[in-house]
């Protein structure tokens, strides 16, 4: 015990990280821009899926074209866990900043590459094959992108503002989607529907390259996160650096992994349903014109941009769990009414239906980026989060293609609502098992503050928390000693 005490000194005021506000803003901007590029592609892909079906699968029926285009969107998600495993290990070993620079390069180039692929009429079967290869490369890089970006922001954020700071990461997601969808609508308006199908659809994909260059510049300009720097310093003082296998992660952090899977599954299924599948659903299944629901969805997404940081700010005051419960409640009880409204062909009612779905999604994504990194300690945070996140996304990524196939098979246009209701059940169960993480230091890291005054307050709270944990352990020891004594009293040779 004395040797253990010599290795660990008490945590004092000098150990509290005081985060420079400008650095935090730069970290959020750099991380959110990468997320924006990811969702820029999703926004573009969702809104040009009908065009891609004609360009890359011209010999199929319109229904099969749509399913094939959405399947090409979904298949690369299978490769995301491999990317998560690869980049997660690198992120825990070499740092978050270096890995995020690599992922944004691959992601930007692969999105840009989609616009370069010739049509089926030009190169035949190689056209859809090349599309699939580029999407797989994109999926592999994205496997390390969101987890790394969420960790990067969380490890740069003060404990009392982590919810608000983290909410800007998915602000980037929504902004990227809005930019992608808006770009498609704007280019279609400029060149006309026929020219857009011929060549105009390529332009939005080309825009990913300059966005990627800006993101790379911002990420290279940042330092490594304070939490990882502290972890690296601790590793260098050890004779044998800590190495943890994924088997050990799974056994020691089973609950955290399952909670992570539940949150991501519930959130991302809703994300892909609302942002990727619905544009095709409006035009193909409800028979609306291509731009009938598009502008309404964009308007709802713009509204989500304003709600998103507010949800994050409130979660720092009320906690993360209430919002996961609220979002899950919305999916379970409002999805069916929402889809009834979407089928009315009445724009105000369509807007109301989308608003109901969007608010449910806002509740979930408003807290996801601040909740997930807090589930794991610094040493394994990138590896564990990247694997759990991307395993969930594999299932969630099947949403557009699977929902399209279910609607086509059953001829039931309410099938997407049932799908979301099932996700609501998953969200409820997950929220029940989630331990509250707001206003607490990340596991394995010292408290982080914005000023010396706040640092003093955080240190007192940190010490109080330690005292409470020690008291709980002492009480447990006392209970075990009483239990032992009762058993020992029944044995003649044990005192």
């Amino acid at each position: 015990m004395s040797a253990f005490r010599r290795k660990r000194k008490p945590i004092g005021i000098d150990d509290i990280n005081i985060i420079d506000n400008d650095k935090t803003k730069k970290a959020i901007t750099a991380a959110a821009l990468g997320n924006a590029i990811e969702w820029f592609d999703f926004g573009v892909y969702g809104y040009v899926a009908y065009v891609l079906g004609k360009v890359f699968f011209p010999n199929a029926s319109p229904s099969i074209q749509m399913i094939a285009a959405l399947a090409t969107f979904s298949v690369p998600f299978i490769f995301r866990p491999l990317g998560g495993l690869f980049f997660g290990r690198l992120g825990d070993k070499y740092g978050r900043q270096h890995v995020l620079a690599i992922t944004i390069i691959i992601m930007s180039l692969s999105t840009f590459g989609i616009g370069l692929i010739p049509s089926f009429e030009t190169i035949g079967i190689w056209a859809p094959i090349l599309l699939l290869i580029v999407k797989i490369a994109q999926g592999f890089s994205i496997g390390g992108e969101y987890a790394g970006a969420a960790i990067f922001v969380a490890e740069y954020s003060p404990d009392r503002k982590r919810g608000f700071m983290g909410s800007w990461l998915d602000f980037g997601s929504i902004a990227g989607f809005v930019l992608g969808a808006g770009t498609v609508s704007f280019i279609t308006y400029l060149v006309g529907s026929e020219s857009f199908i011929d060549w105009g659809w390529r332009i939005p994909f080309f825009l990913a390259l300059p966005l990627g260059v800006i993101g790379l510049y911002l990420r290279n300009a940042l330092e490594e996160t304070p939490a990882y720097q502290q972890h690296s310093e601790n590793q260098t003082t050890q004779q044998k650096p800590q190495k943890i296998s994924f088997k050990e992660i799974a056994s020691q952090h089973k609950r955290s992994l399952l909670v992570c899977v539940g949150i991501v599954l519930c959130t991302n299924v809703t994300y892909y349903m609302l942002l990727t599948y619905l544009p095709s659903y409006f035009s193909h299944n409800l028979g609306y014109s291509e731009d009938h629901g598009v502008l309404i969805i964009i308007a709802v997404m713009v509204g989500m941009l304003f709600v998103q940081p507010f949800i994050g700010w409130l979660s720092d005051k009320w906690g993360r769990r209430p919002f996961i419960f609220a979002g899950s409640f919305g999916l379970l009880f409002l999805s069916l009414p929402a889809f009834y409204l979407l089928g009315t062909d009445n724009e105000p009612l369509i807007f109301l239906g989308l608003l109901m779905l969007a608010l449910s999604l806002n509740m979930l994504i408003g807290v996801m980026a601040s909740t997930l990194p807090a589930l794991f300690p610094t040493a394994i945070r990138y590896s564990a989060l990247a694997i759990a996140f991307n395993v969930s996304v594999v299932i969630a990524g099947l949403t557009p293609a699977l929902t399209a196939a279910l609607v086509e098979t059953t001829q039931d246009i309410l099938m997407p609502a049932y799908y979301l209701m099932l996700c609501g059940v998953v969200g409820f169960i997950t929220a029940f098992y989630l331990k509250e993480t707001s206003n607490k230091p990340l596991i394995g890291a010292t408290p982080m503050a914005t000023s010396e005054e706040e640092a003093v307050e955080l240190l007192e709270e940190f010490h109080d928390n330690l005292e409470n944990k020690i008291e709980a352990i002492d009480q447990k020891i006392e209970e075990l000693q009483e239990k032992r004594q009762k058993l020992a009293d029944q044995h003649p040779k044990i005192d």
Side-chain angles (χ1 to χ4, degrees):
M1 181 66 73
S2 60
F4 178 80
R5 284 176 177 168
R6 280 198 301 271
K7 291 180 181 178
R8 290 184 179 272
K9 65 176 183 177
I11 293 177
I13 193 66
D14 293 335
D15 297 307
I16 307 298
N17 281 314
I18 298 178
I19 304 299
D20 181 73
N21 195 44
D22 289 338
K23 285 187 176 181
T24 303
K25 289 180 180 178
K26 290 178 181 178
I28 292 171
T29 303
L33 187 56
N35 226 32
I37 294 173
E38 174 187 349
W39 281 94
F40 176 84
D41 171 72
F42 289 165
V44 170
Y45 202 96
Y47 282 88
V48 302
Y50 75 99
V51 178
L52 297 179
K54 297 175 181 178
V55 172
F56 294 103
F57 310 97
N59 298 325
S61 66
S63 296
I64 299 301
Q65 284 180 357
M66 181 61 62
I67 294 173
L70 293 175
T72 306
F73 170 86
S74 299
V75 168
F77 281 77
I78 299 172
F79 293 85
R80 287 183 65 156
L82 295 177
L85 180 63
F86 178 76
F87 290 115
R89 287 292 188 186
L90 290 180
D92 284 333
K93 186 175 182 179
Y94 299 109
R96 294 43 166 133
Q97 188 258 352
H98 297 299
V99 172
L100 286 175
I102 296 172
T103 58
I104 200 170
I105 292 172
I106 301 174
M107 195 163 56
S108 302
L109 290 176
S110 56
T111 302
F112 177 79
I114 295 176
L116 297 176
I117 302 173
S119 66
F120 186 93
E121 293 181 354
T122 304
I123 60 172
I125 192 63
W126 281 105
I129 291 175
L130 288 175
L131 176 63
L132 186 59
I133 290 173
V134 171
K135 291 296 290 181
I136 287 172
Q138 189 182 64
F140 185 80
S141 65
I142 292 174
E145 172 63 30
Y146 184 88
I151 290 169
F152 199 76
V153 172
E155 292 183 347
Y156 253 114
S157 299
D159 295 341
R160 291 181 175 178
K161 295 183 178 180
R162 188 166 293 117
F164 177 68
M165 300 299 186
S167 68
W168 289 98
L169 184 63
D170 282 295
F171 180 96
S173 303
I174 302 170
F177 179 88
V178 170
L179 180 61
T183 300
V184 171
S185 298
F186 181 67
I187 293 174
T188 304
Y189 172 77
L190 284 180
V191 304
S193 298
E194 291 187 7
S195 296
F196 185 81
I197 294 174
D198 288 339
W199 54 269
W201 65 269
R202 299 179 184 276
I203 298 174
F205 293 107
F206 291 153
L207 295 178
L209 191 59
L211 290 175
V213 171
I214 297 171
L216 179 62
Y217 170 77
L218 292 174
R219 289 183 175 183
N220 280 332
L222 286 169
E223 298 176 1
E224 189 52 78
T225 67
Y228 187 81
Q229 288 183 30
Q230 179 188 6
H231 168 69
S232 298
E233 291 170 3
N234 293 337
Q235 289 284 290
T236 56
T237 59
Q238 299 178 12
Q239 293 181 349
K240 190 175 182 181
Q242 184 183 19
K243 292 183 179 180
I244 304 176
S245 66
F246 184 73
K247 183 178 180 181
E248 291 175 304
I249 294 175
S251 62
Q252 295 174 16
H253 302 276
K254 181 178 179 180
R255 177 171 177 162
S256 294
L257 288 169
L258 290 175
V259 167
C260 180
V261 168
I263 293 173
V264 175
L265 193 63
C266 184
T267 305
N268 280 44
V269 165
T270 310
Y271 225 142
Y272 298 136
M273 185 73 76
L274 183 59
L275 306 188
T276 304
Y277 174 69
L278 277 190
S280 303
Y281 178 78
F282 277 132
S283 60
H284 182 70
N285 297 107
L286 298 184
Y288 299 158
S289 62
E290 301 294 350
D291 60 348
H292 186 88
V294 168
L295 294 178
I296 299 178
I297 292 179
I298 293 175
V300 170
M301 295 300 107
V302 171
M304 287 182 67
L305 288 174
F306 293 97
V307 176
Q308 178 76 3
F310 184 64
I311 296 293
W313 179 76
L314 286 177
S315 76
D316 285 325
K317 300 181 180 300
W318 298 347
R320 323 291 189 221
R321 294 182 74 214
F323 290 96
I324 297 177
F325 273 122
S328 302
F329 178 90
L331 293 178
L332 186 57
F333 296 104
L334 299 180
S335 294
L336 200 56
F339 272 85
Y340 273 118
L341 293 174
L342 296 185
T344 59
D345 200 15
N346 181 294
E347 290 193 2
L349 293 180
I350 292 173
F351 181 84
L352 179 61
L354 287 171
L355 185 63
M356 292 162 64
L357 296 174
L359 287 175
S360 298
L361 178 57
N362 254 138
M363 297 292 179
L364 297 169
I365 61 172
V367 300
M368 185 169 72
S370 56
T371 302
L372 299 184
L375 296 174
F376 306 101
T378 306
I380 63 163
R381 185 169 291 130
Y382 208 143
S383 299
L385 180 52
I387 290 295
F389 183 89
N390 287 293
V391 166
S392 313
V393 169
V394 168
I395 303 171
L398 297 174
T399 298
L402 184 57
T403 307
L406 287 172
V407 172
E408 196 68 28
T409 302
T410 63
Q411 294 298 304
D412 186 351
I413 60 173
L414 294 177
M415 190 59 66
Y418 306 141
Y419 204 111
L420 291 177
M421 291 169 69
L422 180 61
C423 287
V425 174
V426 173
F428 260 113
I429 296 172
T430 302
F432 179 79
Y433 283 100
L434 172 67
K435 294 180 180 179
E436 188 55 68
T437 62
S438 63
N439 296 303
K440 296 178 181 178
L442 296 172
I443 302 172
T446 54
M448 299 173 67
T450 55
S451 65
E452 292 184 5
E453 293 78 11
E454 186 177 282
V456 173
E457 295 176 6
L458 285 177
L459 184 61
E460 292 177 357
E461 292 177 4
F462 182 71
H463 286 162
D464 289 342
N465 188 42
L466 289 179
E467 290 174 8
N468 292 335
K469 288 182 178 180
I470 292 170
E471 288 177 4
I473 293 172
D474 289 340
Q475 184 178 355
K476 188 67 176 178
I477 291 174
E478 187 176 340
E479 292 174 357
L480 291 172
Q481 287 176 336
E482 290 178 0
K483 185 176 180 179
R484 179 193 180 282
Q485 191 58 49
K486 288 180 182 179
L487 295 174
D489 290 342
Q490 301 175 46
H491 197 287
K493 296 182 180 180
I494 299 179
D495 294 332

